[in-house]
Amino acid sequence: MAESIRTIQADAVEQAVYALFLKTAQSPDDEVIAAVKQAEKAETHPAAKKVLKQLILNKTVSDETSIPYCQDTGMAVVFLDIGQDVHLSGDIDGAVNRGVKRAYQDGYFRTSVAHPLTRVNTKDNTPAVIHKNTVSGDKIKIFAMAKGFGSENMSVLKMLKPSDGIDGIKALVAETIKKAGGSPCPPVVLGIGIGGTMEMAALTAKRQLLRPLNDQNSDAQAAQLESEILSLANSLGIGAMGFPGDVYCIGVKIGLFPTHIAGLPVAININCHAARHAETEI
């Protein structure tokens, strides 16, 4: 058994995290911009359509100049899916934070992390929020997310009653969108976690934001609910940046987790139109 264990050095994790955040904190990926372009074609309201055109132009400028697409280069969130046949050599959390620090310094990205009470800035965008998960295999998959707080601040967690059911979940989504308006910089992506406990629902919702926009949910009922909530979100008359419009949401991703018979935890984690994330494997 020992011969099947693969050793991965902390330095390799640091370098991977560094490269991911240099990329993702600067600009959204092509898939996200493709969705914004589709939204611009579908939008019939002049002000919202103009905003969408500007977002598309921002992507071009960002790619040509290496200037961040948005001034809020986010708080670093890192998911590590660690193979059970991997031996990690060194301080992995330290490696992640060193990678984040170097990326934000070398990319000249805004550092936005501060002590929650004194509000003193840490000056290097660390510490990152790190989630570790054990999976099969002998590799590490690293997911990096630069999470802006215009959208994070509009996210919600609510402990619904089982009797609230799917209608209750939809009502919570509509309530959340109406309250959020333009604050999360729409068009948005909604990551929704349903089930588990309070913290599991929130973690599930966050993880959904890592999914490709065009993927298909493996759970048929969740896939159907994603479609229904996307239609609901775009039927409320709110568009890009909160102007009247046809397209508020470019993606809905739902994750399910078994829950207690007495509860129905639901978390809605909103991502802005930049939806910045990237992944790699070591």
Side-chain angles (χ1 to χ4, degrees), residues 47-78:
K49 194 175 187 73
K50 184 176 181 179
V51 168
L52 292 167
K53 286 181 180 292
Q54 184 63 56
L55 297 181
I56 295 166
L57 176 60
N58 286 357
K59 167 68 172 174
T60 300
V61 173
S62 178
D63 288 344
E64 290 176 350
T65 65
S66 297
I67 294 173
Y69 176 83
C70 174
Q71 48 84 25
D72 182 359
T73 46
M75 187 168 188
V77 180
V78 177

PDB file of all heavy atoms in Angstrom, residues 47-78:
ATOM      1  N   ALA A  47     -31.110  50.539 -21.602  1.00  0.00           N
ATOM      2  CA  ALA A  47     -30.081  50.786 -20.592  1.00  0.00           C
ATOM      3  C   ALA A  47     -29.360  49.499 -20.214  1.00  0.00           C
ATOM      4  O   ALA A  47     -28.125  49.463 -20.123  1.00  0.00           O
ATOM      5  CB  ALA A  47     -30.705  51.428 -19.351  1.00  0.00           C
ATOM      6  N   ALA A  48     -30.131  48.431 -19.993  1.00  0.00           N
ATOM      7  CA  ALA A  48     -29.516  47.151 -19.638  1.00  0.00           C
ATOM      8  C   ALA A  48     -28.662  46.621 -20.786  1.00  0.00           C
ATOM      9  O   ALA A  48     -27.580  46.062 -20.566  1.00  0.00           O
ATOM     10  CB  ALA A  48     -30.598  46.139 -19.268  1.00  0.00           C
ATOM     11  N   LYS A  49     -29.137  46.807 -22.000  1.00  0.00           N
ATOM     12  CA  LYS A  49     -28.376  46.350 -23.169  1.00  0.00           C
ATOM     13  C   LYS A  49     -27.051  47.103 -23.287  1.00  0.00           C
ATOM     14  O   LYS A  49     -26.013  46.506 -23.607  1.00  0.00           O
ATOM     15  CB  LYS A  49     -29.217  46.562 -24.434  1.00  0.00           C
ATOM     16  CG  LYS A  49     -28.695  45.820 -25.667  1.00  0.00           C
ATOM     17  CD  LYS A  49     -29.660  45.998 -26.826  1.00  0.00           C
ATOM     18  CE  LYS A  49     -29.262  45.140 -28.018  1.00  0.00           C
ATOM     19  NZ  LYS A  49     -29.535  43.700 -27.776  1.00  0.00           N
ATOM     20  N   LYS A  50     -27.084  48.395 -23.007  1.00  0.00           N
ATOM     21  CA  LYS A  50     -25.864  49.206 -23.054  1.00  0.00           C
ATOM     22  C   LYS A  50     -24.862  48.725 -22.015  1.00  0.00           C
ATOM     23  O   LYS A  50     -23.648  48.656 -22.276  1.00  0.00           O
ATOM     24  CB  LYS A  50     -26.210  50.676 -22.828  1.00  0.00           C
ATOM     25  CG  LYS A  50     -25.017  51.617 -22.951  1.00  0.00           C
ATOM     26  CD  LYS A  50     -25.442  53.064 -22.811  1.00  0.00           C
ATOM     27  CE  LYS A  50     -24.251  54.008 -22.965  1.00  0.00           C
ATOM     28  NZ  LYS A  50     -24.653  55.431 -22.843  1.00  0.00           N
ATOM     29  N   VAL A  51     -25.349  48.386 -20.824  1.00  0.00           N
ATOM     30  CA  VAL A  51     -24.464  47.880 -19.761  1.00  0.00           C
ATOM     31  C   VAL A  51     -23.792  46.584 -20.210  1.00  0.00           C
ATOM     32  O   VAL A  51     -22.583  46.391 -20.035  1.00  0.00           O
ATOM     33  CB  VAL A  51     -25.246  47.645 -18.459  1.00  0.00           C
ATOM     34  CG1 VAL A  51     -24.410  46.843 -17.466  1.00  0.00           C
ATOM     35  CG2 VAL A  51     -25.646  48.974 -17.835  1.00  0.00           C
ATOM     36  N   LEU A  52     -24.563  45.692 -20.792  1.00  0.00           N
ATOM     37  CA  LEU A  52     -24.014  44.411 -21.242  1.00  0.00           C
ATOM     38  C   LEU A  52     -22.951  44.619 -22.322  1.00  0.00           C
ATOM     39  O   LEU A  52     -21.921  43.931 -22.334  1.00  0.00           O
ATOM     40  CB  LEU A  52     -25.136  43.510 -21.749  1.00  0.00           C
ATOM     41  CG  LEU A  52     -26.108  43.022 -20.660  1.00  0.00           C
ATOM     42  CD1 LEU A  52     -27.350  42.406 -21.286  1.00  0.00           C
ATOM     43  CD2 LEU A  52     -25.426  42.033 -19.729  1.00  0.00           C
ATOM     44  N   LYS A  53     -23.171  45.557 -23.213  1.00  0.00           N
ATOM     45  CA  LYS A  53     -22.164  45.883 -24.226  1.00  0.00           C
ATOM     46  C   LYS A  53     -20.873  46.366 -23.560  1.00  0.00           C
ATOM     47  O   LYS A  53     -19.764  46.029 -23.992  1.00  0.00           O
ATOM     48  CB  LYS A  53     -22.694  46.959 -25.174  1.00  0.00           C
ATOM     49  CG  LYS A  53     -23.744  46.482 -26.177  1.00  0.00           C
ATOM     50  CD  LYS A  53     -24.183  47.628 -27.078  1.00  0.00           C
ATOM     51  CE  LYS A  53     -25.233  47.192 -28.082  1.00  0.00           C
ATOM     52  NZ  LYS A  53     -24.682  46.258 -29.090  1.00  0.00           N
ATOM     53  N   GLN A  54     -21.032  47.149 -22.504  1.00  0.00           N
ATOM     54  CA  GLN A  54     -19.860  47.673 -21.803  1.00  0.00           C
ATOM     55  C   GLN A  54     -19.090  46.547 -21.110  1.00  0.00           C
ATOM     56  O   GLN A  54     -17.852  46.547 -21.090  1.00  0.00           O
ATOM     57  CB  GLN A  54     -20.287  48.722 -20.774  1.00  0.00           C
ATOM     58  CG  GLN A  54     -19.133  49.400 -20.066  1.00  0.00           C
ATOM     59  CD  GLN A  54     -18.250  50.191 -21.014  1.00  0.00           C
ATOM     60  OE1 GLN A  54     -18.743  51.057 -21.724  1.00  0.00           O
ATOM     61  NE2 GLN A  54     -16.957  49.884 -21.025  1.00  0.00           N
ATOM     62  N   LEU A  55     -19.808  45.579 -20.555  1.00  0.00           N
ATOM     63  CA  LEU A  55     -19.144  44.450 -19.907  1.00  0.00           C
ATOM     64  C   LEU A  55     -18.320  43.650 -20.917  1.00  0.00           C
ATOM     65  O   LEU A  55     -17.209  43.191 -20.604  1.00  0.00           O
ATOM     66  CB  LEU A  55     -20.177  43.541 -19.238  1.00  0.00           C
ATOM     67  CG  LEU A  55     -20.998  44.150 -18.103  1.00  0.00           C
ATOM     68  CD1 LEU A  55     -21.963  43.122 -17.533  1.00  0.00           C
ATOM     69  CD2 LEU A  55     -20.095  44.710 -17.014  1.00  0.00           C
ATOM     70  N   ILE A  56     -18.862  43.487 -22.097  1.00  0.00           N
ATOM     71  CA  ILE A  56     -18.141  42.771 -23.154  1.00  0.00           C
ATOM     72  C   ILE A  56     -16.885  43.544 -23.552  1.00  0.00           C
ATOM     73  O   ILE A  56     -15.804  42.960 -23.741  1.00  0.00           O
ATOM     74  CB  ILE A  56     -19.066  42.549 -24.368  1.00  0.00           C
ATOM     75  CG1 ILE A  56     -20.230  41.625 -23.975  1.00  0.00           C
ATOM     76  CG2 ILE A  56     -18.286  41.964 -25.540  1.00  0.00           C
ATOM     77  CD1 ILE A  56     -21.373  41.615 -24.969  1.00  0.00           C
ATOM     78  N   LEU A  57     -17.003  44.856 -23.645  1.00  0.00           N
ATOM     79  CA  LEU A  57     -15.837  45.698 -23.949  1.00  0.00           C
ATOM     80  C   LEU A  57     -14.810  45.614 -22.825  1.00  0.00           C
ATOM     81  O   LEU A  57     -13.594  45.569 -23.084  1.00  0.00           O
ATOM     82  CB  LEU A  57     -16.281  47.147 -24.153  1.00  0.00           C
ATOM     83  CG  LEU A  57     -15.163  48.179 -24.383  1.00  0.00           C
ATOM     84  CD1 LEU A  57     -14.363  47.829 -25.628  1.00  0.00           C
ATOM     85  CD2 LEU A  57     -15.760  49.579 -24.501  1.00  0.00           C
ATOM     86  N   ASN A  58     -15.277  45.594 -21.582  1.00  0.00           N
ATOM     87  CA  ASN A  58     -14.359  45.498 -20.438  1.00  0.00           C
ATOM     88  C   ASN A  58     -13.489  44.248 -20.536  1.00  0.00           C
ATOM     89  O   ASN A  58     -12.296  44.269 -20.198  1.00  0.00           O
ATOM     90  CB  ASN A  58     -15.147  45.454 -19.126  1.00  0.00           C
ATOM     91  CG  ASN A  58     -15.719  46.799 -18.743  1.00  0.00           C
ATOM     92  OD1 ASN A  58     -15.489  47.796 -19.426  1.00  0.00           O
ATOM     93  ND2 ASN A  58     -16.477  46.829 -17.663  1.00  0.00           N
ATOM     94  N   LYS A  59     -14.078  43.142 -20.966  1.00  0.00           N
ATOM     95  CA  LYS A  59     -13.330  41.894 -21.121  1.00  0.00           C
ATOM     96  C   LYS A  59     -12.220  42.066 -22.153  1.00  0.00           C
ATOM     97  O   LYS A  59     -11.076  41.622 -21.936  1.00  0.00           O
ATOM     98  CB  LYS A  59     -14.294  40.781 -21.530  1.00  0.00           C
ATOM     99  CG  LYS A  59     -13.635  39.506 -22.037  1.00  0.00           C
ATOM    100  CD  LYS A  59     -12.889  38.748 -20.963  1.00  0.00           C
ATOM    101  CE  LYS A  59     -12.423  37.387 -21.505  1.00  0.00           C
ATOM    102  NZ  LYS A  59     -11.577  36.647 -20.565  1.00  0.00           N
ATOM    103  N   THR A  60     -12.525  42.720 -23.263  1.00  0.00           N
ATOM    104  CA  THR A  60     -11.520  42.951 -24.301  1.00  0.00           C
ATOM    105  C   THR A  60     -10.372  43.799 -23.769  1.00  0.00           C
ATOM    106  O   THR A  60      -9.194  43.485 -23.977  1.00  0.00           O
ATOM    107  CB  THR A  60     -12.159  43.643 -25.520  1.00  0.00           C
ATOM    108  OG1 THR A  60     -13.197  42.807 -26.040  1.00  0.00           O
ATOM    109  CG2 THR A  60     -11.126  43.892 -26.605  1.00  0.00           C
ATOM    110  N   VAL A  61     -10.717  44.873 -23.065  1.00  0.00           N
ATOM    111  CA  VAL A  61      -9.696  45.762 -22.494  1.00  0.00           C
ATOM    112  C   VAL A  61      -8.836  45.012 -21.482  1.00  0.00           C
ATOM    113  O   VAL A  61      -7.608  45.146 -21.448  1.00  0.00           O
ATOM    114  CB  VAL A  61     -10.350  46.997 -21.859  1.00  0.00           C
ATOM    115  CG1 VAL A  61      -9.308  47.828 -21.113  1.00  0.00           C
ATOM    116  CG2 VAL A  61     -11.055  47.833 -22.908  1.00  0.00           C
ATOM    117  N   SER A  62      -9.480  44.210 -20.641  1.00  0.00           N
ATOM    118  CA  SER A  62      -8.751  43.450 -19.627  1.00  0.00           C
ATOM    119  C   SER A  62      -7.753  42.489 -20.269  1.00  0.00           C
ATOM    120  O   SER A  62      -6.607  42.382 -19.839  1.00  0.00           O
ATOM    121  CB  SER A  62      -9.738  42.679 -18.744  1.00  0.00           C
ATOM    122  OG  SER A  62      -9.053  41.902 -17.786  1.00  0.00           O
ATOM    123  N   ASP A  63      -8.199  41.790 -21.308  1.00  0.00           N
ATOM    124  CA  ASP A  63      -7.313  40.843 -21.980  1.00  0.00           C
ATOM    125  C   ASP A  63      -6.145  41.542 -22.655  1.00  0.00           C
ATOM    126  O   ASP A  63      -5.026  41.020 -22.707  1.00  0.00           O
ATOM    127  CB  ASP A  63      -8.101  40.031 -23.022  1.00  0.00           C
ATOM    128  CG  ASP A  63      -9.043  39.028 -22.394  1.00  0.00           C
ATOM    129  OD1 ASP A  63      -8.882  38.724 -21.190  1.00  0.00           O
ATOM    130  OD2 ASP A  63      -9.948  38.539 -23.100  1.00  0.00           O
ATOM    131  N   GLU A  64      -6.388  42.734 -23.201  1.00  0.00           N
ATOM    132  CA  GLU A  64      -5.340  43.443 -23.939  1.00  0.00           C
ATOM    133  C   GLU A  64      -4.342  44.138 -23.024  1.00  0.00           C
ATOM    134  O   GLU A  64      -3.180  44.326 -23.398  1.00  0.00           O
ATOM    135  CB  GLU A  64      -5.981  44.479 -24.872  1.00  0.00           C
ATOM    136  CG  GLU A  64      -6.734  43.860 -26.043  1.00  0.00           C
ATOM    137  CD  GLU A  64      -7.442  44.912 -26.881  1.00  0.00           C
ATOM    138  OE1 GLU A  64      -7.500  46.086 -26.450  1.00  0.00           O
ATOM    139  OE2 GLU A  64      -7.941  44.551 -27.979  1.00  0.00           O
ATOM    140  N   THR A  65      -4.778  44.534 -21.822  1.00  0.00           N
ATOM    141  CA  THR A  65      -3.929  45.349 -20.948  1.00  0.00           C
ATOM    142  C   THR A  65      -3.483  44.651 -19.674  1.00  0.00           C
ATOM    143  O   THR A  65      -2.616  45.167 -18.958  1.00  0.00           O
ATOM    144  CB  THR A  65      -4.684  46.628 -20.540  1.00  0.00           C
ATOM    145  OG1 THR A  65      -5.828  46.255 -19.745  1.00  0.00           O
ATOM    146  CG2 THR A  65      -5.139  47.417 -21.758  1.00  0.00           C
ATOM    147  N   SER A  66      -4.117  43.500 -19.361  1.00  0.00           N
ATOM    148  CA  SER A  66      -3.873  42.783 -18.094  1.00  0.00           C
ATOM    149  C   SER A  66      -4.352  43.575 -16.886  1.00  0.00           C
ATOM    150  O   SER A  66      -3.960  43.294 -15.747  1.00  0.00           O
ATOM    151  CB  SER A  66      -2.388  42.418 -17.927  1.00  0.00           C
ATOM    152  OG  SER A  66      -1.986  41.534 -18.951  1.00  0.00           O
ATOM    153  N   ILE A  67      -5.186  44.576 -17.134  1.00  0.00           N
ATOM    154  CA  ILE A  67      -5.823  45.310 -16.035  1.00  0.00           C
ATOM    155  C   ILE A  67      -7.053  44.514 -15.601  1.00  0.00           C
ATOM    156  O   ILE A  67      -7.801  44.019 -16.440  1.00  0.00           O
ATOM    157  CB  ILE A  67      -6.229  46.723 -16.487  1.00  0.00           C
ATOM    158  CG1 ILE A  67      -4.985  47.550 -16.806  1.00  0.00           C
ATOM    159  CG2 ILE A  67      -7.072  47.422 -15.410  1.00  0.00           C
ATOM    160  CD1 ILE A  67      -5.296  48.898 -17.424  1.00  0.00           C
ATOM    161  N   PRO A  68      -7.281  44.367 -14.281  1.00  0.00           N
ATOM    162  CA  PRO A  68      -8.432  43.583 -13.827  1.00  0.00           C
ATOM    163  C   PRO A  68      -9.753  44.055 -14.430  1.00  0.00           C
ATOM    164  O   PRO A  68     -10.013  45.261 -14.539  1.00  0.00           O
ATOM    165  CB  PRO A  68      -8.408  43.777 -12.312  1.00  0.00           C
ATOM    166  CG  PRO A  68      -6.971  43.984 -11.995  1.00  0.00           C
ATOM    167  CD  PRO A  68      -6.442  44.791 -13.156  1.00  0.00           C
ATOM    168  N   TYR A  69     -10.555  43.099 -14.807  1.00  0.00           N
ATOM    169  CA  TYR A  69     -11.887  43.324 -15.377  1.00  0.00           C
ATOM    170  C   TYR A  69     -12.769  44.112 -14.422  1.00  0.00           C
ATOM    171  O   TYR A  69     -13.603  44.899 -14.839  1.00  0.00           O
ATOM    172  CB  TYR A  69     -12.480  41.955 -15.667  1.00  0.00           C
ATOM    173  CG  TYR A  69     -13.898  41.902 -16.170  1.00  0.00           C
ATOM    174  CD1 TYR A  69     -14.189  42.095 -17.515  1.00  0.00           C
ATOM    175  CD2 TYR A  69     -14.949  41.585 -15.311  1.00  0.00           C
ATOM    176  CE1 TYR A  69     -15.486  42.005 -17.990  1.00  0.00           C
ATOM    177  CE2 TYR A  69     -16.251  41.490 -15.772  1.00  0.00           C
ATOM    178  CZ  TYR A  69     -16.519  41.698 -17.111  1.00  0.00           C
ATOM    179  OH  TYR A  69     -17.804  41.600 -17.577  1.00  0.00           O
ATOM    180  N   CYS A  70     -12.590  43.885 -13.123  1.00  0.00           N
ATOM    181  CA  CYS A  70     -13.339  44.603 -12.085  1.00  0.00           C
ATOM    182  C   CYS A  70     -12.371  45.028 -10.999  1.00  0.00           C
ATOM    183  O   CYS A  70     -11.430  44.302 -10.664  1.00  0.00           O
ATOM    184  CB  CYS A  70     -14.425  43.700 -11.502  1.00  0.00           C
ATOM    185  SG  CYS A  70     -15.314  44.429 -10.092  1.00  0.00           S
ATOM    186  N   GLN A  71     -12.608  46.195 -10.430  1.00  0.00           N
ATOM    187  CA  GLN A  71     -11.707  46.700  -9.392  1.00  0.00           C
ATOM    188  C   GLN A  71     -11.762  45.860  -8.118  1.00  0.00           C
ATOM    189  O   GLN A  71     -10.798  45.800  -7.354  1.00  0.00           O
ATOM    190  CB  GLN A  71     -12.024  48.166  -9.073  1.00  0.00           C
ATOM    191  CG  GLN A  71     -13.492  48.486  -8.845  1.00  0.00           C
ATOM    192  CD  GLN A  71     -13.972  48.211  -7.445  1.00  0.00           C
ATOM    193  OE1 GLN A  71     -13.190  48.214  -6.517  1.00  0.00           O
ATOM    194  NE2 GLN A  71     -15.262  47.974  -7.279  1.00  0.00           N
ATOM    195  N   ASP A  72     -12.892  45.185  -7.874  1.00  0.00           N
ATOM    196  CA  ASP A  72     -12.978  44.291  -6.720  1.00  0.00           C
ATOM    197  C   ASP A  72     -12.427  42.928  -7.135  1.00  0.00           C
ATOM    198  O   ASP A  72     -13.131  42.116  -7.724  1.00  0.00           O
ATOM    199  CB  ASP A  72     -14.420  44.155  -6.237  1.00  0.00           C
ATOM    200  CG  ASP A  72     -14.527  43.268  -4.998  1.00  0.00           C
ATOM    201  OD1 ASP A  72     -13.483  42.750  -4.532  1.00  0.00           O
ATOM    202  OD2 ASP A  72     -15.647  43.093  -4.482  1.00  0.00           O
ATOM    203  N   THR A  73     -11.160  42.691  -6.849  1.00  0.00           N
ATOM    204  CA  THR A  73     -10.532  41.424  -7.218  1.00  0.00           C
ATOM    205  C   THR A  73     -10.767  40.338  -6.172  1.00  0.00           C
ATOM    206  O   THR A  73     -10.133  39.282  -6.212  1.00  0.00           O
ATOM    207  CB  THR A  73      -9.031  41.619  -7.488  1.00  0.00           C
ATOM    208  OG1 THR A  73      -8.458  42.415  -6.452  1.00  0.00           O
ATOM    209  CG2 THR A  73      -8.813  42.303  -8.822  1.00  0.00           C
ATOM    210  N   GLY A  74     -11.693  40.601  -5.263  1.00  0.00           N
ATOM    211  CA  GLY A  74     -12.273  39.541  -4.468  1.00  0.00           C
ATOM    212  C   GLY A  74     -11.467  39.050  -3.284  1.00  0.00           C
ATOM    213  O   GLY A  74     -10.308  39.387  -3.081  1.00  0.00           O
ATOM    214  N   MET A  75     -12.131  38.213  -2.510  1.00  0.00           N
ATOM    215  CA  MET A  75     -11.474  37.449  -1.454  1.00  0.00           C
ATOM    216  C   MET A  75     -11.183  36.069  -2.023  1.00  0.00           C
ATOM    217  O   MET A  75     -12.009  35.475  -2.715  1.00  0.00           O
ATOM    218  CB  MET A  75     -12.373  37.340  -0.224  1.00  0.00           C
ATOM    219  CG  MET A  75     -11.691  36.708   0.976  1.00  0.00           C
ATOM    220  SD  MET A  75     -12.665  36.918   2.492  1.00  0.00           S
ATOM    221  CE  MET A  75     -11.465  36.279   3.687  1.00  0.00           C
ATOM    222  N   ALA A  76      -9.995  35.559  -1.749  1.00  0.00           N
ATOM    223  CA  ALA A  76      -9.572  34.284  -2.324  1.00  0.00           C
ATOM    224  C   ALA A  76     -10.252  33.121  -1.603  1.00  0.00           C
ATOM    225  O   ALA A  76     -10.144  32.980  -0.382  1.00  0.00           O
ATOM    226  CB  ALA A  76      -8.059  34.144  -2.233  1.00  0.00           C
ATOM    227  N   VAL A  77     -10.955  32.299  -2.383  1.00  0.00           N
ATOM    228  CA  VAL A  77     -11.564  31.072  -1.875  1.00  0.00           C
ATOM    229  C   VAL A  77     -10.944  29.909  -2.642  1.00  0.00           C
ATOM    230  O   VAL A  77     -10.900  29.929  -3.871  1.00  0.00           O
ATOM    231  CB  VAL A  77     -13.093  31.077  -2.066  1.00  0.00           C
ATOM    232  CG1 VAL A  77     -13.709  29.788  -1.520  1.00  0.00           C
ATOM    233  CG2 VAL A  77     -13.713  32.295  -1.382  1.00  0.00           C
ATOM    234  N   VAL A  78     -10.463  28.915  -1.909  1.00  0.00           N
ATOM    235  CA  VAL A  78      -9.761  27.792  -2.529  1.00  0.00           C
ATOM    236  C   VAL A  78     -10.361  26.475  -2.046  1.00  0.00           C
ATOM    237  O   VAL A  78     -10.496  26.249  -0.835  1.00  0.00           O
ATOM    238  CB  VAL A  78      -8.255  27.825  -2.205  1.00  0.00           C
ATOM    239  CG1 VAL A  78      -7.549  26.607  -2.798  1.00  0.00           C
ATOM    240  CG2 VAL A  78      -7.622  29.115  -2.726  1.00  0.00           C
TER     241      VAL A  78
END
